[in-house]
Amino acid sequence: MRLLFATFQSPLHPAGPYARAIERLWWVFFAITAVIYVLMLIGFALAVRKGARRKQADLSDEATRSGARFITIALSATTVILIGLLFTSIATGRDISPVDDKVTREIKITGHQWWWEVQYAEARPDMIVETANELHLPVGERVKLILDSDDVIHSLWIPNLHGKRDLIPGYDGVLTLTADKTGTYRAQCAEFCGLQHAKMAFLVIVEPKADFERWLTAQRLPAPFPKTADQQHGQQVFLTSTCVMCHAIKGTSAGARTGPDLTHLASRRTLGAGILPNTLGNLHGWIANAQTIKPGVLMPPNPLEPNDLHALVAYLETLQ
Amino acid sequence: MTLTPPAADTTPAPIGRRLVDVSSLPKFAFGHRDPLWWGVWLLICIEGTMFVMLAASYVYLRGNSSQWPPAGAANAPLAVTASTVALLLISIIPTAIAFRAALDGRLRVIQLNMVLVTLISIAAAGTRWLELTSIGYNWNSHAYGSVVWGFYFMHTFHLVSGVFENLVFTALLFIGPVEKKHMVDMRLSAIYWLFVVVAWTLLWGLFTFDSLLFRNSIIS
Amino acid sequence: MNDQELHLRLSATWHKPTGLWGWLTDNHHTTIGKRFIITAFVFFILGGIEALIMRTQLALPENHVVSNDLYNQLFTTHGSTMMFLFAVPVMEGLGLYFVPLMIGTRQMAFPRLNQFAYFSYLIGGVLLYVGLFGNFGPDAGWFAYTPLSGPEFSPGKRVDVWAQMITFTEMAALGGAVSIIATVFKHRAPGMSLNRMPLFVWGQLVTSFMIIFAMPSVMVASGMLATDRLIATHFFNKAEGGDNLLWQHLFWFFGHPEVYIIFIPGTTMMSTLVSAFTKRPNFGYLGMVLSLIATGFIGFGVWVHHMFATGLPQLGLSFFTASSVLITIPTAFQFFSWLTTLWHGKIHFHSPILYSFSFIVIFLIGGLTGVMLASVPLDWQLHDTFFVVAHFHYVLIGGAIFPLLGALTYWFPKLTGRLMNEKLSVVTVSLLFVGFNVTFFPMHQLGLMGMPRRVYTYLPNLGWTNLNLLATVGAYIFGLGSLLFVLNALISARIGVIAGDDPWGGADLEWATASPPPAYNFLYVPTVRDRYPLWSMEPDQPLVTGLATDRREILVTKLMDAEPDHLYETPDPSISPTLVALGAGIGIIAAIFNPWGVPIGFVLAGLGLLGWFWPKPPHKELLEPQP
Ligand code: HEA
Ligand code: HEA
Ligand code: CUA
Ligand SMILES: [Cu+2]
């Protein structure tokens, strides 16, 4: 469990150049506004002390003149600071949205109520990797995320890597990012998207290039044929119950796209879009009745016989 | 401002104060001196902004569509839509005459021209009916249909209220008694009617001359 | 005729009808204004209770106080209530009550419009709460983004309730705005030229104009949403050529001005309090007025800063950063002016000024976080997190609620004739100040730790627990403070110290009449020679005479310099405006179930309008027919 969320989802712990640029900008803004705040409060404290001690209000011309002088100076300073902040912000804005698309990889992420579909683009259709609720990235590579949604507006936010970008149905959003520190980061949907907006997260796993390639190759393979009788029974349960109406397992006849692709389910670290560790017990619970774990989820409860359920889980556990 | 003692039946003078006696001021005024004039113009601002927002939505949706209007979306015949506009525009003339005549209260002229305005506006409502029944698509056919029907809905609502207002007003002019103060109302209702006319002329121009206004009518 | 006799006559002419019938027919601006304020406070309490429930749910991770379904209804209703049913109406209510008093007139320009506005507002608010309690409360957030709020993803009647509630409150706000503008332009006491109007009145004028140009946008949008849902139009349906960003543009084109519609009256209350309790005119009157106007204008040019994360082109976004930054300059001017006024004034420490000090300490944080959010890269990280929630509560509560409570304490005598209990007020403001910061300051950090907004729960191992718990504790303290304010008001209205006409030595004309003002407001309409009439009033400042005593006659003055121009009769109490609101209400609510509701409501409202505009028997100069 600790490992699962070891690295928090925070823009202040950047793991890539873009997030780092934003973090730097944040501290610039923070420092300047903090100074302004303190100065203003001191100013007000002094004014209140002064005003409290007076015998009566000063209505003289001299007061008017000095007041006008103060306002002019303060307003000019404000304007200068603001222009400074504006340009700093615009400069950072340029740094973090590269126009020279020197990207090595395109990944399409599609938002669904309330899970993420992930597709690694390849020229050859049979090389395309499909997975869900987990994004693997090679460290140091610039990747381009194509963002779309299948239903309502979601927002992809991997705070340690970059700012957020909405997934709007019909618009292909683009977010280019680079991770330069290996590790596991958590991302969460940021745009309110209905009942389970709170539980629409996923993990981003940044790994060395070699590990990444290994993972990608493994993901390309279809699901292995189950070995034990129990597992084979489990596959039968899967293929003959409602599961096939929504899920795909490559290498079997299940090819539906309504729910997450389960071909390599067992290789994933979480269940239910980043909310549960992928353990045997959790998988049991999820399949039996996901509604108790994620109320409103678009997967119905499955009243299976205990041994069927058991076999099903055993089968799903083979989907490495 | 005059500093004279007040008339008997109105607020009296307190002892020992300088006074501003207003009892002899007129009981109504034309133009921006009149609070109701502001009311009407503010109403026009509100509704005008609604029309502008609808028109902006039209342009926005248009910009995001590959084909606009969609294939096969047939508007009402130009002859019909143009006659509505023509009638509305013609109605400006009697409206303007009545508007002018109201300033010095020439009742006969006003009556005559208001009858004309009313008749023309009823005719426009008639051709509007023909338009509505001959539009070749529905509001639920596509976004283009939705927004153009939106124009029609909003404006027909105004047109009907305008016709109703013209009718009632003209009737009152004949039934009487007509007060001088009613001349102010008469001018205000004329202003509102002009708004109804102008609003439609612009909206109609927008969707009728779409292909002239926007170069890339068909992008795809 | 002496003053006593005049009082009797005017009281008879301007009498406020009482009882249930009176409640339905009275159109006096003080009645309507007070009603707006009280109703708004009822909604504030309801919205506050929703907030407390939400905070209780968020106090601990994986909490089960409410379900996710209910939580979504709660924050939607909370946001909609606070924005549409509390903040805007309460500000407008104060305007309706005080503008005529401050400019020295007996009645608003369109009293029946105000009456209509109030009933629309009431119907809209009740509709929202019938929805919430009937478990069909809206649940798509206070900005109800499509397609989530569209027919496909929000079946049922929930979002329809939201859309129609919007229609009602917009009608109410627009009616009030038209009335306020005409009143400010045409009813000012002789001599009160535009550049002598109290800043509060300027604030009301500017917000009313903003309402006029902002609200139509959301009316169009919510109308489109309603037809998309009810008769299958395709404004927001991508498949048929519609567009979802259109909704966001239309909504925020209204939504951003909306927040300044709430904030501008707040700042002008600040100015009123600062000047009243330093016994000194505000510094830079002209600059203050220009700041309000500039804020009003620029407020229409920043809406896209709510949409930075949608992926619009960078260049365009930078424009909206620039305009958002620009809008801080008028606010900065106001801040510097208050500072200078405090410096050169003689500060009298009464509870209202403590609210002003809280404003400064709190709003400033909100303003500065606003500047951070205006930066596109920062907003990409902070958007839709609790950092934004912190920002807007700092500006809304700091910038509008604190000055509002201060101003209510200050004006309480004018509303009720009695003073609020001072000791209790000091306790209240302290509780509110502490509670507020304990609630909302931690939210900045929560946002920076990655907590998104609008989540009904969160996992225990994300490290958000302690700060959330702290915020919840703070919310209860703030709630206690609010409760104390309400109790203080209720008790003081009955047994508070009798205030007299002018307990604070105020500067503006509202203090020139009794507390609370008689039905005719002023026995003699006053005249004005400068910006702070009561501070410079000469013993023989002229009074206006010659207004009719047997009908509700008003003196209309000229737009710029307020020279007496003509006389204008305002209407007696009548039931028709209430009927119009009711008719429209029946139609609009029926439209949730059947589109034919619209024409039916149209006809019903039309019947009411007939009574509204029915010509009165003439008693004026007739027009001779001319050949
Ligand atoms: C009273 C209401 C109010 C006010 C006054 C403001 C004021 C400002 N707001 Fe705020 N805002 C809201 C209410 C308000 N806002 C609400 C309700 C939302 C969220 C809606 C939702 O999503 O639900 C929001 C959201 C919001 C966003 C979108 C955030 C997001 O969703 O990602 C942004 C982004 O630019 C923003 C910016 C600003 C700015 C720049 C100001 C400026 O006007 C602030 C100016 C003031 C100051 C800066 C302080 C005084 C100045 C000085 C002392 C001078 C010295 C200062 C400097 C040199 C910097 N606001
Ligand atoms: C003026 C506007 C305003 C005001 C005053 C408030 C006041 C408060 N708000 Fe609200 N808030 C919004 C406007 C406002 N809010 C908006 C626009 C949203 C966005 C909604 C959305 O996302 O769609 C929001 C969202 C919002 C959230 C985020 C929800 C989420 O994203 O998940 C939270 C969470 O803590 C919150 C908390 C509070 C709290 C604790 C108060 C407290 O200050 C409330 C204190 C008041 C009370 C506690 C009432 C006191 C009365 C009593 C205790 C009862 C007394 C009874 C009798 C006298 C009979 N608000
Ligand atoms: Cu998906 Cu929120
Ligand atoms: Cu804004």
Side-chain angles (χ1 to χ4, degrees), chain A residues 116-312:
Chain A
W116 309 85
E117 179 187 336
V118 180
Q119 242 187 43
Y120 289 75
E122 291 289 344
R124 279 175 44 197
D126 60 321
M127 299 283 279
I128 293 175
V129 165
E130 283 215 35
T131 177
N133 300 331
E134 203 169 279
L135 180 66
H136 285 246
L137 294 177
V139 70
E141 244 183 63
R142 184 180 287 179
V143 293
K144 183 165 159 189
L145 305 181
I146 313 278
L147 308 174
D148 197 1
S149 164
D150 193 41
D151 35 52
V152 305
I153 303 178
H154 304 272
S155 190
L156 179 88
W157 186 35
I158 318 169
N160 303 61
L161 297 184
H162 206 322
K164 57 185 72 64
R165 186 60 56 84
D166 290 351
L167 287 71
I168 306 173
Y171 283 78
D172 273 346
V174 173
L175 187 67
T176 311
L177 52 76
T178 309
D180 56 15
K181 254 201 222 163
T182 56
T184 304
Y185 307 101
R186 191 165 185 271
Q188 189 159 357
C189 176
E191 181 64 62
F192 179 65
C193 53
L195 277 178
Q196 277 303 346
H197 162 64
K199 294 192 173 172
M200 179 168 170
F202 69 97
L203 293 186
V204 181
I205 292 145
V206 178
E207 47 200 1
K209 187 119 177 143
D211 291 356
F212 172 76
E213 289 298 345
R214 209 168 307 126
W215 174 83
L216 201 62
T217 321
Q219 295 285 314
R220 284 204 185 104
L221 300 172
F225 191 77
K227 298 191 186 70
T228 71
D230 194 31
Q231 293 164 355
Q232 283 164 12
H233 175 59
Q235 190 184 36
Q236 279 318 301
V237 173
F238 187 89
L239 295 175
T240 54
S241 63
T242 53
C243 315
V244 285
M245 288 163 52
C246 301
H247 293 286
I249 296 180
K250 273 197 220 117
T252 72
S253 58
R257 309 285 306 268
T258 322
D261 185 304
L262 299 181
T263 313
H264 297 283
L265 176 70
S267 76
R268 304 212 275 262
R269 302 187 189 186
T270 63
L271 282 179
I275 59 162
L276 283 178
N278 189 356
T279 64
L280 213 64
N282 284 339
L283 191 55
H284 256 104
W286 176 269
I287 294 170
N289 192 350
Q291 298 294 335
T292 55
I293 300 165
K294 197 170 170 180
V297 64
L298 297 179
M299 166 161 154
N302 291 290
L304 294 171
E305 295 296 323
N307 58 330
D308 283 353
L309 179 60
H310 201 80
L312 175 60

Side-chain angles (χ1 to χ4, degrees), chain A residues 2-10 13 15 160 182-186 203, chain C residues 462:
Chain A
R2 261 211 75 227
L3 192 111
L4 196 55
F5 302 111
T7 318
F8 291 111
Q9 51 182 84
S10 166
H13 294 105
N160 303 61
T182 56
T184 304
Y185 307 101
R186 191 165 185 271
L203 293 186
Chain C
L462 293 168

Side-chain angles (χ1 to χ4, degrees), chain C residues 44-45 48-49 51-52 54-55 71 75 78-79 82-83 87 141-142 386 389 392-393 396-397 401 439-440 443 453-455 475 478-479 482-483 486:
Chain C
F44 171 68
I45 290 172
I49 292 172
L52 287 186
M54 291 193 300
R55 281 306 337 156
Y71 186 89
F75 76 70
H78 167 74
M82 290 300 194
M83 301 301 272
W142 85 277
F386 261 79
V389 177
F392 66 71
H393 285 92
L396 283 167
I397 299 186
I401 310 305
T439 314
F440 294 104
M443 291 186 188
R453 64 193 279 204
R454 297 172 162 184
V455 293
F478 191 88
S482 320
L483 183 63
V486 173

